[in-house]
Each structure stands twice: as structure tokens, then as C-alpha cells.
Amino acid sequence: MKFKTLFLLIICGLFLSGYEYKYNVPKLDGTNNAANRNNKGIMYMEMGYYAAAMTEFQIAISLSPDATSSAAYYNNLGLLYSKLNNLNAAKECFQKAISLNPVFMEYYKNLITASEKAGTLNIDLNNYLSQINADSNNSQAYLMAGLIY
């Protein structure tokens, strides 16, 4: 009984004295967290847990959707969609990866592979050739047409 009373008095004393307990909570870093989520997604995809991998990639993207680093996350999500034969979604992911980081050749190659699997390679080639005819300075269209050839 005396212990409870003493404990209660100490707690009340701390409360009334304005004591502040400072939590040591780490700050959330969206970039690092996104990279961690992406790495988990890669691990899950390699293990064959495709739904979990998809969730991790989508979370990584949502943490920084328009950052250059998200190009890798879109690419990985595209690779997953390609494994699942959702080729239109895969192509959209590869195109978004290219728009975020146009200097990484793997994204272009993955887009062409998805187009080939989808059976739309000739249609895509004609689209790139039309873009070149409309704008002779469209280096990305030249690159894609050259990679397809």
C-alpha cells in the first residue's frame, strides 16, 4: 500500500512539475524507406511471392513517385508485371521509368522485350517512325527505333 502511494505521488509530482518525456523517435526518411521497400520487393519477387512484391514496389513508388530514383522501382514493377503476363501494365511501367531516368538503357530494352512478348513490336516501331517524321530531333524515338531494328 505504501509503495502504491509513493509511486502515485511520484507520478503526480512529475505530471504537475511539467516534466516532458522526449521520445527518441527516428525521423522517417522517404528515400531510404522507398529503397528498402524496393529491396523487399526484389526479394519477394525472387522468392515467387508476387503479390507481396507488387505491394512493396507500389509502396516504394508512392513514397517518391516522381523522383529519379523511382525509375528503378517502376522498372522492377514492370518486370513483375511482365512475369505475370500483364504486358500492357509492364509497358506503362517501363515508359514511366524511361520518363524519370532516360539515360538508363535497361529500361528501353525491357520496354522492347515487353512489346515483343505482347506482339506489338511492329506497331510500336511504326509509332516511333511516325514520331521521327513529326520531329526529326526526337532522339528517344530514334533510340527506340534503332533498338527495335
Side-chain angles (χ1 to χ4, degrees):
M1 181 74 169
K2 288 183 182 182
F3 178 73
K4 284 184 182 178
T5 306
L6 181 61
F7 181 74
L8 188 58
L9 286 173
I10 291 172
I11 296 298
C12 288
L14 290 174
F15 179 71
L16 294 174
S17 70
Y19 175 78
E20 284 186 44
Y21 179 76
K22 303 213 184 218
Y23 295 97
N24 189 12
V25 177
K27 292 182 180 177
L28 292 178
D29 180 0
T31 304
N32 282 340
N33 196 20
N36 290 337
R37 292 295 193 152
N38 182 60
N39 291 338
K40 282 184 181 178
I42 292 169
M43 179 187 68
Y44 288 141
M45 188 165 66
E46 289 171 352
M47 294 169 62
Y49 300 128
Y50 298 135
M54 186 179 301
T55 299
E56 293 297 335
F57 292 140
Q58 290 169 339
I59 291 170
I61 290 167
S62 72
L63 290 170
S64 53
D66 295 321
T68 304
S69 59
S70 289
Y73 314 150
Y74 278 105
N75 183 65
N76 290 335
L77 183 58
L79 291 172
L80 178 62
Y81 281 135
S82 193
K83 273 185 185 274
L84 298 172
N85 282 328
N86 188 347
L87 300 172
N88 288 331
K91 288 172 59 174
E92 288 176 20
C93 288
F94 297 137
Q95 289 166 341
K96 182 66 176 180
I98 290 168
S99 73
L100 292 173
N101 189 359
V103 297
F104 205 63
M105 288 300 294
E106 181 182 350
Y107 306 154
Y108 295 95
K109 291 176 183 177
N110 290 340
L111 176 57
I112 290 170
T113 301
S115 294
E116 191 172 37
K117 284 175 72 174
T120 62
L121 201 55
N122 286 333
I123 295 168
D124 292 342
L125 176 60
N126 289 332
N127 183 30
Y128 295 125
L129 294 175
S130 296
Q131 290 176 27
I132 291 168
N133 288 333
D135 179 9
S136 62
N137 293 321
N138 188 337
S139 59
Q140 197 171 43
Y142 275 108
L143 175 63
M144 290 301 293
L147 287 172
I148 290 171
Y149 278 121

mmCIF file of all heavy atoms in Angstrom, residues 27-44 52-77 100:
data_model
loop_
_atom_site.group_PDB
_atom_site.id
_atom_site.type_symbol
_atom_site.label_atom_id
_atom_site.label_comp_id
_atom_site.label_asym_id
_atom_site.label_seq_id
_atom_site.Cartn_x
_atom_site.Cartn_y
_atom_site.Cartn_z
ATOM 1 N N LYS A 27 13.452 9.899 -37.345
ATOM 2 C CA LYS A 27 12.715 10.586 -38.395
ATOM 3 C C LYS A 27 12.534 9.641 -39.573
ATOM 4 O O LYS A 27 13.422 8.845 -39.889
ATOM 5 C CB LYS A 27 13.474 11.827 -38.855
ATOM 6 C CG LYS A 27 13.526 12.906 -37.804
ATOM 7 C CD LYS A 27 14.229 14.126 -38.322
ATOM 8 C CE LYS A 27 14.278 15.194 -37.255
ATOM 9 N NZ LYS A 27 15.018 16.363 -37.696
ATOM 10 N N LEU A 28 11.386 9.758 -40.209
ATOM 11 C CA LEU A 28 11.132 8.938 -41.381
ATOM 12 C C LEU A 28 11.816 9.562 -42.582
ATOM 13 O O LEU A 28 11.680 10.743 -42.846
ATOM 14 C CB LEU A 28 9.628 8.826 -41.646
ATOM 15 C CG LEU A 28 8.845 8.039 -40.612
ATOM 16 C CD1 LEU A 28 7.369 8.060 -40.964
ATOM 17 C CD2 LEU A 28 9.330 6.621 -40.520
ATOM 18 N N ASP A 29 12.534 8.763 -43.293
ATOM 19 C CA ASP A 29 13.227 9.212 -44.495
ATOM 20 C C ASP A 29 12.596 8.493 -45.678
ATOM 21 O O ASP A 29 12.805 7.300 -45.869
ATOM 22 C CB ASP A 29 14.713 8.884 -44.374
ATOM 23 C CG ASP A 29 15.514 9.326 -45.580
ATOM 24 O OD1 ASP A 29 14.915 9.885 -46.521
ATOM 25 O OD2 ASP A 29 16.731 9.118 -45.578
ATOM 26 N N GLY A 30 11.800 9.210 -46.451
ATOM 27 C CA GLY A 30 11.069 8.605 -47.562
ATOM 28 C C GLY A 30 11.964 7.942 -48.583
ATOM 29 O O GLY A 30 11.662 6.869 -49.098
ATOM 30 N N THR A 31 13.119 8.542 -48.863
ATOM 31 C CA THR A 31 14.017 7.984 -49.872
ATOM 32 C C THR A 31 14.592 6.654 -49.417
ATOM 33 O O THR A 31 14.567 5.681 -50.157
ATOM 34 C CB THR A 31 15.159 8.981 -50.178
ATOM 35 O OG1 THR A 31 14.575 10.227 -50.567
ATOM 36 C CG2 THR A 31 16.046 8.464 -51.281
ATOM 37 N N ASN A 32 15.104 6.617 -48.184
ATOM 38 C CA ASN A 32 15.657 5.360 -47.678
ATOM 39 C C ASN A 32 14.569 4.311 -47.514
ATOM 40 O O ASN A 32 14.786 3.135 -47.804
ATOM 41 C CB ASN A 32 16.375 5.569 -46.344
ATOM 42 C CG ASN A 32 17.745 6.172 -46.522
ATOM 43 O OD1 ASN A 32 18.317 6.112 -47.602
ATOM 44 N ND2 ASN A 32 18.263 6.764 -45.476
ATOM 45 N N ASN A 33 13.409 4.730 -47.044
ATOM 46 C CA ASN A 33 12.316 3.795 -46.863
ATOM 47 C C ASN A 33 11.876 3.237 -48.218
ATOM 48 O O ASN A 33 11.576 2.053 -48.334
ATOM 49 C CB ASN A 33 11.149 4.467 -46.134
ATOM 50 C CG ASN A 33 10.171 3.470 -45.576
ATOM 51 O OD1 ASN A 33 10.492 2.302 -45.388
ATOM 52 N ND2 ASN A 33 8.965 3.920 -45.313
ATOM 53 N N ALA A 34 11.842 4.078 -49.233
ATOM 54 C CA ALA A 34 11.462 3.619 -50.577
ATOM 55 C C ALA A 34 12.470 2.602 -51.091
ATOM 56 O O ALA A 34 12.091 1.567 -51.657
ATOM 57 C CB ALA A 34 11.354 4.804 -51.528
ATOM 58 N N ALA A 35 13.750 2.867 -50.878
ATOM 59 C CA ALA A 35 14.781 1.923 -51.316
ATOM 60 C C ALA A 35 14.649 0.597 -50.574
ATOM 61 O O ALA A 35 14.803 -0.476 -51.171
ATOM 62 C CB ALA A 35 16.168 2.522 -51.114
ATOM 63 N N ASN A 36 14.350 0.669 -49.283
ATOM 64 C CA ASN A 36 14.155 -0.559 -48.510
ATOM 65 C C ASN A 36 12.954 -1.342 -49.013
ATOM 66 O O ASN A 36 12.999 -2.573 -49.115
ATOM 67 C CB ASN A 36 13.988 -0.235 -47.018
ATOM 68 C CG ASN A 36 15.264 0.257 -46.392
ATOM 69 O OD1 ASN A 36 16.351 -0.009 -46.880
ATOM 70 N ND2 ASN A 36 15.130 0.995 -45.309
ATOM 71 N N ARG A 37 11.871 -0.636 -49.317
ATOM 72 C CA ARG A 37 10.680 -1.301 -49.848
ATOM 73 C C ARG A 37 10.979 -1.945 -51.197
ATOM 74 O O ARG A 37 10.532 -3.055 -51.473
ATOM 75 C CB ARG A 37 9.527 -0.300 -49.998
ATOM 76 C CG ARG A 37 8.987 0.219 -48.703
ATOM 77 C CD ARG A 37 8.358 -0.905 -47.905
ATOM 78 N NE ARG A 37 7.584 -0.365 -46.812
ATOM 79 C CZ ARG A 37 6.542 -0.956 -46.281
ATOM 80 N NH1 ARG A 37 6.134 -2.105 -46.719
ATOM 81 N NH2 ARG A 37 5.911 -0.394 -45.285
ATOM 82 N N ASN A 38 11.730 -1.249 -52.030
ATOM 83 C CA ASN A 38 12.110 -1.803 -53.326
ATOM 84 C C ASN A 38 12.933 -3.074 -53.148
ATOM 85 O O ASN A 38 12.697 -4.081 -53.828
ATOM 86 C CB ASN A 38 12.900 -0.767 -54.132
ATOM 87 C CG ASN A 38 13.283 -1.278 -55.491
ATOM 88 O OD1 ASN A 38 12.434 -1.621 -56.302
ATOM 89 N ND2 ASN A 38 14.576 -1.339 -55.749
ATOM 90 N N ASN A 39 13.882 -3.043 -52.229
ATOM 91 C CA ASN A 39 14.712 -4.223 -51.981
ATOM 92 C C ASN A 39 13.880 -5.398 -51.477
ATOM 93 O O ASN A 39 14.110 -6.548 -51.865
ATOM 94 C CB ASN A 39 15.829 -3.896 -50.993
ATOM 95 C CG ASN A 39 16.856 -2.956 -51.597
ATOM 96 O OD1 ASN A 39 16.987 -2.851 -52.809
ATOM 97 N ND2 ASN A 39 17.573 -2.251 -50.750
ATOM 98 N N LYS A 40 12.897 -5.101 -50.622
ATOM 99 C CA LYS A 40 11.988 -6.166 -50.170
ATOM 100 C C LYS A 40 11.202 -6.724 -51.349
ATOM 101 O O LYS A 40 10.983 -7.934 -51.450
ATOM 102 C CB LYS A 40 11.011 -5.637 -49.122
ATOM 103 C CG LYS A 40 11.573 -5.496 -47.749
ATOM 104 C CD LYS A 40 10.471 -5.047 -46.793
ATOM 105 C CE LYS A 40 10.982 -4.855 -45.396
ATOM 106 N NZ LYS A 40 9.929 -4.381 -44.490
ATOM 107 N N GLY A 41 10.768 -5.837 -52.237
ATOM 108 C CA GLY A 41 10.028 -6.270 -53.416
ATOM 109 C C GLY A 41 10.849 -7.194 -54.290
ATOM 110 O O GLY A 41 10.356 -8.219 -54.782
ATOM 111 N N ILE A 42 12.115 -6.858 -54.480
ATOM 112 C CA ILE A 42 13.008 -7.711 -55.268
ATOM 113 C C ILE A 42 13.142 -9.087 -54.608
ATOM 114 O O ILE A 42 13.063 -10.123 -55.276
ATOM 115 C CB ILE A 42 14.393 -7.045 -55.439
ATOM 116 C CG1 ILE A 42 14.276 -5.800 -56.324
ATOM 117 C CG2 ILE A 42 15.406 -8.030 -56.022
ATOM 118 C CD1 ILE A 42 15.523 -4.941 -56.330
ATOM 119 N N MET A 43 13.324 -9.087 -53.291
ATOM 120 C CA MET A 43 13.456 -10.340 -52.558
ATOM 121 C C MET A 43 12.185 -11.188 -52.702
ATOM 122 O O MET A 43 12.261 -12.381 -53.003
ATOM 123 C CB MET A 43 13.723 -10.054 -51.081
ATOM 124 C CG MET A 43 13.859 -11.294 -50.224
ATOM 125 S SD MET A 43 13.971 -10.913 -48.464
ATOM 126 C CE MET A 43 12.322 -10.299 -48.124
ATOM 127 N N TYR A 44 11.027 -10.560 -52.521
ATOM 128 C CA TYR A 44 9.769 -11.298 -52.652
ATOM 129 C C TYR A 44 9.575 -11.825 -54.079
ATOM 130 O O TYR A 44 9.096 -12.942 -54.271
ATOM 131 C CB TYR A 44 8.574 -10.432 -52.256
ATOM 132 C CG TYR A 44 8.453 -10.160 -50.779
ATOM 133 C CD1 TYR A 44 8.049 -8.921 -50.308
ATOM 134 C CD2 TYR A 44 8.716 -11.148 -49.838
ATOM 135 C CE1 TYR A 44 7.924 -8.668 -48.955
ATOM 136 C CE2 TYR A 44 8.596 -10.907 -48.482
ATOM 137 C CZ TYR A 44 8.200 -9.668 -48.039
ATOM 138 O OH TYR A 44 8.074 -9.428 -46.701
ATOM 139 N N ALA A 52 3.098 -9.894 -52.752
ATOM 140 C CA ALA A 52 3.875 -9.128 -51.770
ATOM 141 C C ALA A 52 4.877 -8.218 -52.471
ATOM 142 O O ALA A 52 5.061 -7.058 -52.079
ATOM 143 C CB ALA A 52 4.584 -10.069 -50.807
ATOM 144 N N ALA A 53 5.515 -8.737 -53.517
ATOM 145 C CA ALA A 53 6.479 -7.934 -54.277
ATOM 146 C C ALA A 53 5.790 -6.722 -54.897
ATOM 147 O O ALA A 53 6.306 -5.601 -54.843
ATOM 148 C CB ALA A 53 7.141 -8.787 -55.351
ATOM 149 N N MET A 54 4.616 -6.952 -55.480
ATOM 150 C CA MET A 54 3.875 -5.858 -56.111
ATOM 151 C C MET A 54 3.540 -4.776 -55.087
ATOM 152 O O MET A 54 3.712 -3.582 -55.351
ATOM 153 C CB MET A 54 2.601 -6.389 -56.756
ATOM 154 C CG MET A 54 1.845 -5.352 -57.555
ATOM 155 S SD MET A 54 0.357 -6.008 -58.331
ATOM 156 C CE MET A 54 1.026 -7.304 -59.360
ATOM 157 N N THR A 55 3.112 -5.193 -53.915
ATOM 158 C CA THR A 55 2.781 -4.240 -52.858
ATOM 159 C C THR A 55 4.007 -3.422 -52.467
ATOM 160 O O THR A 55 3.928 -2.197 -52.325
ATOM 161 C CB THR A 55 2.212 -4.974 -51.627
ATOM 162 O OG1 THR A 55 1.028 -5.662 -52.021
ATOM 163 C CG2 THR A 55 1.910 -4.016 -50.499
ATOM 164 N N GLU A 56 5.140 -4.073 -52.312
ATOM 165 C CA GLU A 56 6.364 -3.366 -51.912
ATOM 166 C C GLU A 56 6.798 -2.370 -52.976
ATOM 167 O O GLU A 56 7.178 -1.235 -52.655
ATOM 168 C CB GLU A 56 7.493 -4.365 -51.613
ATOM 169 C CG GLU A 56 7.246 -5.228 -50.392
ATOM 170 C CD GLU A 56 7.157 -4.461 -49.088
ATOM 171 O OE1 GLU A 56 7.712 -3.357 -48.964
ATOM 172 O OE2 GLU A 56 6.507 -4.978 -48.162
ATOM 173 N N PHE A 57 6.741 -2.762 -54.251
ATOM 174 C CA PHE A 57 7.119 -1.834 -55.324
ATOM 175 C C PHE A 57 6.168 -0.641 -55.368
ATOM 176 O O PHE A 57 6.594 0.499 -55.541
ATOM 177 C CB PHE A 57 7.134 -2.538 -56.684
ATOM 178 C CG PHE A 57 8.218 -3.577 -56.838
ATOM 179 C CD1 PHE A 57 7.952 -4.770 -57.476
ATOM 180 C CD2 PHE A 57 9.497 -3.373 -56.341
ATOM 181 C CE1 PHE A 57 8.934 -5.735 -57.629
ATOM 182 C CE2 PHE A 57 10.494 -4.324 -56.485
ATOM 183 C CZ PHE A 57 10.204 -5.517 -57.127
ATOM 184 N N GLN A 58 4.881 -0.899 -55.197
ATOM 185 C CA GLN A 58 3.903 0.186 -55.230
ATOM 186 C C GLN A 58 4.091 1.140 -54.059
ATOM 187 O O GLN A 58 3.952 2.358 -54.214
ATOM 188 C CB GLN A 58 2.480 -0.381 -55.255
ATOM 189 C CG GLN A 58 2.154 -1.043 -56.579
ATOM 190 C CD GLN A 58 0.858 -1.839 -56.554
ATOM 191 O OE1 GLN A 58 0.372 -2.244 -55.498
ATOM 192 N NE2 GLN A 58 0.301 -2.085 -57.731
ATOM 193 N N ILE A 59 4.437 0.608 -52.892
ATOM 194 C CA ILE A 59 4.705 1.476 -51.745
ATOM 195 C C ILE A 59 5.963 2.309 -52.004
ATOM 196 O O ILE A 59 5.984 3.513 -51.731
ATOM 197 C CB ILE A 59 4.845 0.662 -50.442
ATOM 198 C CG1 ILE A 59 3.492 0.074 -50.037
ATOM 199 C CG2 ILE A 59 5.409 1.524 -49.315
ATOM 200 C CD1 ILE A 59 3.556 -0.928 -48.906
ATOM 201 N N ALA A 60 6.995 1.676 -52.548
ATOM 202 C CA ALA A 60 8.232 2.406 -52.854
ATOM 203 C C ALA A 60 7.941 3.559 -53.813
ATOM 204 O O ALA A 60 8.425 4.686 -53.619
ATOM 205 C CB ALA A 60 9.271 1.455 -53.450
ATOM 206 N N ILE A 61 7.130 3.296 -54.824
ATOM 207 C CA ILE A 61 6.776 4.334 -55.795
ATOM 208 C C ILE A 61 5.978 5.437 -55.124
ATOM 209 O O ILE A 61 6.223 6.631 -55.358
ATOM 210 C CB ILE A 61 6.007 3.716 -56.976
ATOM 211 C CG1 ILE A 61 6.947 2.848 -57.821
ATOM 212 C CG2 ILE A 61 5.343 4.792 -57.824
ATOM 213 C CD1 ILE A 61 6.242 1.953 -58.821
ATOM 214 N N SER A 62 5.048 5.070 -54.269
ATOM 215 C CA SER A 62 4.182 6.076 -53.639
ATOM 216 C C SER A 62 4.963 7.009 -52.719
ATOM 217 O O SER A 62 4.539 8.142 -52.489
ATOM 218 C CB SER A 62 3.051 5.405 -52.873
ATOM 219 O OG SER A 62 3.538 4.779 -51.698
ATOM 220 N N LEU A 63 6.097 6.563 -52.200
ATOM 221 C CA LEU A 63 6.884 7.399 -51.302
ATOM 222 C C LEU A 63 7.604 8.525 -52.034
ATOM 223 O O LEU A 63 7.902 9.560 -51.444
ATOM 224 C CB LEU A 63 7.881 6.545 -50.517
ATOM 225 C CG LEU A 63 7.240 5.636 -49.482
ATOM 226 C CD1 LEU A 63 8.259 4.652 -48.926
ATOM 227 C CD2 LEU A 63 6.614 6.452 -48.359
ATOM 228 N N SER A 64 7.898 8.324 -53.305
ATOM 229 C CA SER A 64 8.534 9.385 -54.108
ATOM 230 C C SER A 64 8.233 9.131 -55.589
ATOM 231 O O SER A 64 9.111 8.737 -56.344
ATOM 232 C CB SER A 64 10.035 9.427 -53.850
ATOM 233 O OG SER A 64 10.614 8.153 -54.039
ATOM 234 N N PRO A 65 6.989 9.356 -55.997
ATOM 235 C CA PRO A 65 6.552 8.928 -57.329
ATOM 236 C C PRO A 65 7.269 9.581 -58.504
ATOM 237 O O PRO A 65 7.400 8.963 -59.557
ATOM 238 C CB PRO A 65 5.061 9.274 -57.348
ATOM 239 C CG PRO A 65 4.847 10.233 -56.253
ATOM 240 C CD PRO A 65 5.917 9.996 -55.246
ATOM 241 N N ASP A 66 7.733 10.809 -58.351
ATOM 242 C CA ASP A 66 8.351 11.493 -59.486
ATOM 243 C C ASP A 66 9.849 11.698 -59.329
ATOM 244 O O ASP A 66 10.450 12.446 -60.090
ATOM 245 C CB ASP A 66 7.649 12.842 -59.715
ATOM 246 C CG ASP A 66 6.199 12.653 -60.123
ATOM 247 O OD1 ASP A 66 5.929 11.724 -60.904
ATOM 248 O OD2 ASP A 66 5.336 13.418 -59.642
ATOM 249 N N ALA A 67 10.444 11.032 -58.368
ATOM 250 C CA ALA A 67 11.891 11.143 -58.171
ATOM 251 C C ALA A 67 12.615 10.255 -59.169
ATOM 252 O O ALA A 67 12.093 9.226 -59.610
ATOM 253 C CB ALA A 67 12.259 10.735 -56.751
ATOM 254 N N THR A 68 13.802 10.645 -59.533
ATOM 255 C CA THR A 68 14.608 9.846 -60.461
ATOM 256 C C THR A 68 14.825 8.442 -59.927
ATOM 257 O O THR A 68 14.807 7.476 -60.680
ATOM 258 C CB THR A 68 15.965 10.539 -60.717
ATOM 259 O OG1 THR A 68 15.725 11.856 -61.193
ATOM 260 C CG2 THR A 68 16.785 9.790 -61.734
ATOM 261 N N SER A 69 14.988 8.329 -58.621
ATOM 262 C CA SER A 69 15.207 7.009 -58.015
ATOM 263 C C SER A 69 14.015 6.086 -58.212
ATOM 264 O O SER A 69 14.164 4.864 -58.218
ATOM 265 C CB SER A 69 15.516 7.150 -56.527
ATOM 266 O OG SER A 69 14.450 7.797 -55.865
ATOM 267 N N SER A 70 12.832 6.650 -58.396
ATOM 268 C CA SER A 70 11.639 5.825 -58.597
ATOM 269 C C SER A 70 11.637 5.123 -59.949
ATOM 270 O O SER A 70 10.853 4.199 -60.157
ATOM 271 C CB SER A 70 10.373 6.665 -58.448
ATOM 272 O OG SER A 70 10.197 7.011 -57.095
ATOM 273 N N ALA A 71 12.501 5.547 -60.850
ATOM 274 C CA ALA A 71 12.589 4.860 -62.145
ATOM 275 C C ALA A 71 12.918 3.388 -61.932
ATOM 276 O O ALA A 71 12.339 2.517 -62.593
ATOM 277 C CB ALA A 71 13.640 5.528 -63.025
ATOM 278 N N ALA A 72 13.816 3.101 -61.020
ATOM 279 C CA ALA A 72 14.174 1.704 -60.733
ATOM 280 C C ALA A 72 12.982 0.948 -60.164
ATOM 281 O O ALA A 72 12.781 -0.233 -60.474
ATOM 282 C CB ALA A 72 15.344 1.652 -59.753
ATOM 283 N N TYR A 73 12.168 1.626 -59.351
ATOM 284 C CA TYR A 73 11.009 0.970 -58.753
ATOM 285 C C TYR A 73 9.956 0.663 -59.819
ATOM 286 O O TYR A 73 9.364 -0.416 -59.826
ATOM 287 C CB TYR A 73 10.402 1.830 -57.645
ATOM 288 C CG TYR A 73 11.409 2.415 -56.680
ATOM 289 C CD1 TYR A 73 11.173 3.624 -56.049
ATOM 290 C CD2 TYR A 73 12.612 1.768 -56.396
ATOM 291 C CE1 TYR A 73 12.089 4.166 -55.166
ATOM 292 C CE2 TYR A 73 13.522 2.302 -55.521
ATOM 293 C CZ TYR A 73 13.266 3.505 -54.906
ATOM 294 O OH TYR A 73 14.168 4.049 -54.033
ATOM 295 N N TYR A 74 9.746 1.622 -60.732
ATOM 296 C CA TYR A 74 8.827 1.379 -61.849
ATOM 297 C C TYR A 74 9.346 0.244 -62.730
ATOM 298 O O TYR A 74 8.573 -0.592 -63.188
ATOM 299 C CB TYR A 74 8.640 2.641 -62.691
ATOM 300 C CG TYR A 74 7.635 3.611 -62.147
ATOM 301 C CD1 TYR A 74 8.033 4.789 -61.521
ATOM 302 C CD2 TYR A 74 6.272 3.368 -62.261
ATOM 303 C CE1 TYR A 74 7.116 5.688 -61.030
ATOM 304 C CE2 TYR A 74 5.342 4.268 -61.768
ATOM 305 C CZ TYR A 74 5.765 5.428 -61.158
ATOM 306 O OH TYR A 74 4.839 6.309 -60.663
ATOM 307 N N ASN A 75 10.650 0.225 -62.965
ATOM 308 C CA ASN A 75 11.223 -0.836 -63.780
ATOM 309 C C ASN A 75 11.006 -2.198 -63.137
ATOM 310 O O ASN A 75 10.604 -3.158 -63.799
ATOM 311 C CB ASN A 75 12.720 -0.585 -63.998
ATOM 312 C CG ASN A 75 13.337 -1.627 -64.891
ATOM 313 O OD1 ASN A 75 13.002 -1.732 -66.061
ATOM 314 N ND2 ASN A 75 14.240 -2.414 -64.337
ATOM 315 N N ASN A 76 11.238 -2.282 -61.832
ATOM 316 C CA ASN A 76 11.041 -3.557 -61.134
ATOM 317 C C ASN A 76 9.576 -3.983 -61.137
ATOM 318 O O ASN A 76 9.270 -5.163 -61.311
ATOM 319 C CB ASN A 76 11.572 -3.465 -59.704
ATOM 320 C CG ASN A 76 13.086 -3.376 -59.682
ATOM 321 O OD1 ASN A 76 13.756 -3.818 -60.609
ATOM 322 N ND2 ASN A 76 13.618 -2.800 -58.632
ATOM 323 N N LEU A 77 8.679 -3.026 -60.981
ATOM 324 C CA LEU A 77 7.251 -3.339 -61.060
ATOM 325 C C LEU A 77 6.904 -3.816 -62.474
ATOM 326 O O LEU A 77 6.142 -4.764 -62.650
ATOM 327 C CB LEU A 77 6.410 -2.124 -60.671
ATOM 328 C CG LEU A 77 4.900 -2.314 -60.638
ATOM 329 C CD1 LEU A 77 4.499 -3.429 -59.670
ATOM 330 C CD2 LEU A 77 4.214 -1.002 -60.251
ATOM 331 N N LEU A 100 11.370 9.077 -66.168
ATOM 332 C CA LEU A 100 12.040 9.560 -64.959
ATOM 333 C C LEU A 100 13.558 9.525 -65.063
ATOM 334 O O LEU A 100 14.245 10.342 -64.456
ATOM 335 C CB LEU A 100 11.599 8.735 -63.744
ATOM 336 C CG LEU A 100 10.150 8.911 -63.312
ATOM 337 C CD1 LEU A 100 9.792 7.916 -62.217
ATOM 338 C CD2 LEU A 100 9.900 10.331 -62.833
#
